[in-house]
Amino acid sequence: MRKITYIITCLLLSFVMTMTAQVQVEQKIDPIGMYIGQQVQMTVGVTAPKGSKVVFPQLERTQYIVPGVEVLSSQDDTIDVDDGLEKITRRYILTSFDENLYAIPPMKIKVNGKEYQGNQLALKVIDLENVDTLHPNQFFPPKDVQDNPFQWSDWASTFWLSLLMLVLCSLAYYLHIRLKENKPIITRIRIIKRLLPHQKALNEIEKIKTERMVVSENPKEYYTKLTDTLRQYIEERFGFSAMEMTSSEIISRLRESGDQKMIDELKELFNTADLVKFAKYQTLINENDLNLVNAINFIDQTKIEGEATEERIVPKLSDDDKKNKKNRLTIKTMLWTIALVVVALFIYIIYNIWSLLG
């Protein structure tokens, strides 16, 4: 029984010693010197196990911690530290109106019913030079914030730059209206596929066949289209103005470089066409077919083989169009320049106003 009692006593003493070792009290003041009427902060920090009951001295507002040093306010703060400990801090705001070197006594704090104390501090209060402390009614409160008087020189640049920005905006609006009224010159580059003369002629003859003009009751229209197709082919193929020549003139020119039989068949076609157009000659269907075949044979026998070519046609602008296009480019350049200047002025003006009002 004595052994058990001894063990319990040792454990209790060990626990109490551990708890006591974990409790720390720190007392400090910042700054350690001040002028009369200024304020300093005294901090009392207690580090103890979490959940400990910490009791600080009750110092009320306007109470003197020592004669000549007055308490203005106090505030508590708690933070967690390592190993299950926490730190409770109380901050006292102190002031003094008497010049002296004051000894601040250690603060007595109770932790779980046991009393601990901080360390003694010193506070030096210094008197201000030329301050009449005998007549406190001569002390006046601080003055309110005074407005700076308006000076035109401070605002002149901002005013004139703002006016310039408005003028530039008006000019930009005017140029925008001019740009809308001055319609753009749109040029489209066309790619045209150039067919060979015999390809174009055979395509036209194919259209005549598709439209069934061979069996049409209007032979004049049929022979007109057929001979016009041949004239166009001859003009492009042989290089003379067949569209403006008579049938006999065309045959005469072709005799210089053509097969006689082939030209005779072409001559018969032109003669039939002239009779139909000018003498109201009525042809038979088989005669129309024969002339169509002769036209195709003439084209096949005189054609020059090759590949169709593509031609890039760039439209040419008139002097007025060129001038209009140049004016539009000038207006657009001016608009972009004005826009950049206006943005830069706006940023500078806002910054300048902010600086003046700040």
Side-chain angles (χ1 to χ4, degrees):
M1 189 67 180
R2 288 180 180 179
K3 290 182 179 180
I4 296 174
T5 304
Y6 176 75
I7 293 171
I8 293 174
T9 302
C10 291
L11 291 175
L12 288 175
L13 289 174
S14 176
F15 175 76
V16 171
M17 291 178 65
T18 302
M19 293 293 293
T20 303
Q22 288 181 332
V23 176
Q24 296 179 359
V25 178
E26 181 184 11
Q27 182 177 345
K28 59 183 180 179
I29 192 169
D30 184 32
I32 61 175
M34 70 175 192
Y35 287 107
I36 288 177
Q38 286 187 329
Q39 299 175 1
V40 296
Q41 178 176 273
M42 185 180 70
T43 305
V44 181
V46 179
T47 303
K50 290 184 179 180
S52 299
K53 184 179 180 181
V54 179
V55 179
F56 289 90
Q58 294 297 323
L59 296 176
E60 303 296 335
R61 176 177 170 81
T62 70
Q63 182 178 346
Y64 287 95
I65 190 169
V66 293
V69 179
E70 182 181 350
V71 178
L72 297 180
S73 65
S74 62
Q75 182 181 2
D76 292 342
D77 185 21
T78 302
I79 60 173
D80 291 336
V81 295
D82 296 335
D83 299 328
L85 301 177
E86 62 182 1
K87 185 174 184 180
I88 301 96
T89 303
R90 175 165 292 185
R91 295 179 176 87
Y92 298 94
I93 304 299
L94 309 178
T95 189
S96 177
F97 294 93
D98 294 321
E99 181 181 12
N100 201 353
L101 177 60
Y102 296 96
I104 308 298
M107 302 294 289
K108 296 180 179 181
I109 299 96
K110 289 186 178 181
V111 180
N112 295 325
K114 185 174 181 179
E115 188 174 87
Y116 298 86
Q117 66 179 19
N119 48 301
Q120 186 172 354
L121 303 173
L123 174 63
K124 184 175 181 58
V125 180
I126 305 172
D127 193 6
L128 295 173
E129 296 182 1
N130 301 324
V131 175
D132 188 3
T133 57
L134 299 178
H135 301 87
N137 59 326
Q138 299 297 322
F139 288 91
F140 299 99
K143 296 182 179 180
D144 294 335
V145 177
Q146 300 295 315
D147 292 332
N148 291 328
F150 176 80
Q151 294 183 359
W152 169 249
S153 58
D154 295 337
W155 292 87
S157 61
T158 303
F159 173 78
W160 291 116
L161 289 176
S162 300
L163 190 61
L164 175 62
M165 186 178 69
L166 291 176
V167 172
L168 290 176
C169 289
S170 301
L171 178 61
Y173 178 74
Y174 169 74
L175 292 176
H176 176 69
I177 297 300
R178 285 285 306 275
L179 191 65
K180 288 182 64 177
E181 293 177 350
N182 193 7
K183 295 182 179 180
I185 304 298
I186 300 175
T187 56
R188 292 186 175 88
I189 299 175
R190 294 183 300 163
I191 305 298
I192 298 178
K193 189 174 183 179
R194 295 290 184 183
L195 297 177
L196 297 175
H198 70 276
Q199 292 174 333
K200 291 194 290 185
L202 293 175
N203 288 341
E204 289 297 324
I205 292 176
E206 190 64 29
K207 289 182 181 179
I208 294 173
K209 292 167 62 178
T210 303
E211 295 172 1
R212 302 183 62 82
M213 297 185 66
V214 179
V215 295
S216 173
E217 295 180 358
N218 188 359
K220 181 178 180 180
E221 182 183 4
Y222 164 69
Y223 277 99
T224 299
K225 287 195 174 184
L226 182 60
T227 53
D228 285 347
T229 300
L230 286 171
R231 286 171 182 271
Q232 185 68 36
Y233 167 73
I234 291 170
E235 184 171 315
E236 294 179 2
R237 167 63 179 81
F238 295 98
F240 58 87
S241 303
M243 295 296 294
E244 301 174 1
M245 299 171 66
T246 63
S247 300
S248 58
E249 290 174 341
I250 294 173
I251 297 301
S252 177
R253 289 292 298 270
L254 290 175
R255 287 188 187 279
E256 300 174 4
S257 58
D259 180 24
Q260 185 63 40
K261 180 180 178 181
M262 174 191 67
I263 294 175
D264 287 341
E265 293 175 351
L266 187 62
K267 179 181 179 182
E268 183 178 349
L269 187 154
F270 276 115
N271 288 336
T272 302
D274 289 340
L275 289 174
V276 170
K277 288 190 287 185
F278 303 112
K280 297 183 179 180
Y281 174 72
Q282 296 294 323
T283 58
L284 300 175
I285 295 178
N286 58 351
E287 189 176 2
N288 295 340
D289 290 336
L290 178 62
N291 286 326
L292 185 66
V293 171
N294 289 337
I296 295 173
N297 289 336
F298 172 76
I299 294 170
D300 285 337
Q301 294 176 16
T302 58
K303 67 182 179 181
I304 298 177
E305 295 290 350
E307 295 291 335
T309 59
E310 290 185 351
E311 183 177 357
R312 189 171 181 265
I313 299 179
V314 181
K316 294 183 178 180
L317 299 179
S318 63
D319 292 339
D320 290 339
D321 289 340
K322 290 179 180 178
K323 184 177 179 180
N324 188 23
K325 192 173 183 179
K326 185 177 179 180
N327 289 340
R328 286 184 59 84
L329 181 60
T330 302
I331 292 174
K332 286 183 178 180
T333 303
M334 292 178 64
L335 279 173
W336 277 108
T337 304
I338 291 173
L340 293 175
V341 173
V342 167
V343 170
L345 285 175
F346 179 77
I347 295 173
Y348 177 78
I349 290 170
I350 294 298
Y351 172 76
N352 205 18
I353 293 175
W354 178 78
S355 299
L356 290 172
L357 296 178

